[in-house]
Amino acid sequence: QVQLVESGGGLVQAGGSLRLSCLASRNILSIGAMGWYRQAPGKQRELVARITNGGSTNYADSVKGRFTLSRDNAKNTVYLQMNSLKPEDTAVYYCSGIFFNSIYWGQGTQVTVSS
């Protein structure tokens, strides 16, 4: 099993920045693809960014150029640096990881961007 704990959410004005962290309970190199998803009220959960075990990343078109996903293997942590935030980025952000063909989720962290 894998436990994922997110942190770093909060309230920020449009144009501001936040960095989300996702701490995994095991070596993240033993975990398959890890990613960040978000879910706004009344909307489906959507992929924001993902990193494969080999280190390749991909991003949703809506966040390309503004968000950067990175990881620190020694700290078993994946980060999502979010810059130039927009009100439409407001959502609960979830960390995910695939381990032995099962997907695991964190509890989510709220990001609110005011206009």
Side-chain angles (χ1 to χ4, degrees):
Q1 282 193 336
V2 179
Q3 283 78 48
L4 302 170
V5 179
E6 302 100 333
S7 61
L11 173 63
V12 64
Q13 288 188 331
S17 298
L18 284 174
R19 188 178 78 159
L20 305 183
S21 300
C22 173
L23 174 63
S25 61
R26 62 187 308 125
N27 187 333
I28 59 174
L29 293 180
S30 70
I31 302 172
M34 295 188 70
W36 288 94
Y37 289 73
R38 67 187 180 187
Q39 188 166 20
K43 294 188 177 181
Q44 288 189 328
R45 191 172 297 189
E46 62 175 1
L47 175 68
V48 175
R50 186 178 64 172
I51 185 167
T52 67
N53 193 262
S56 299
T57 55
N58 62 283
Y59 298 88
D61 288 343
S62 59
V63 307
K64 282 181 182 176
R66 300 188 297 123
F67 291 11
T68 302
L69 191 155
S70 62
R71 68 185 182 191
D72 186 330
N73 298 335
K75 295 182 178 180
N76 293 332
T77 301
V78 174
Y79 302 98
L80 185 68
Q81 178 67 44
M82 306 186 295
N83 299 328
S84 302
L85 282 161
K86 304 175 181 180
E88 50 264 44
D89 295 317
T90 295
V92 178
Y93 283 70
Y94 298 90
C95 178
S96 72
I98 298 175
F99 187 68
F100 280 93
N101 295 320
S102 294
I103 187 166
Y104 293 86
W105 298 95
Q107 81 286 355
T109 185
Q110 176 70 46
V111 172
T112 302
V113 184
S114 63
S115 57

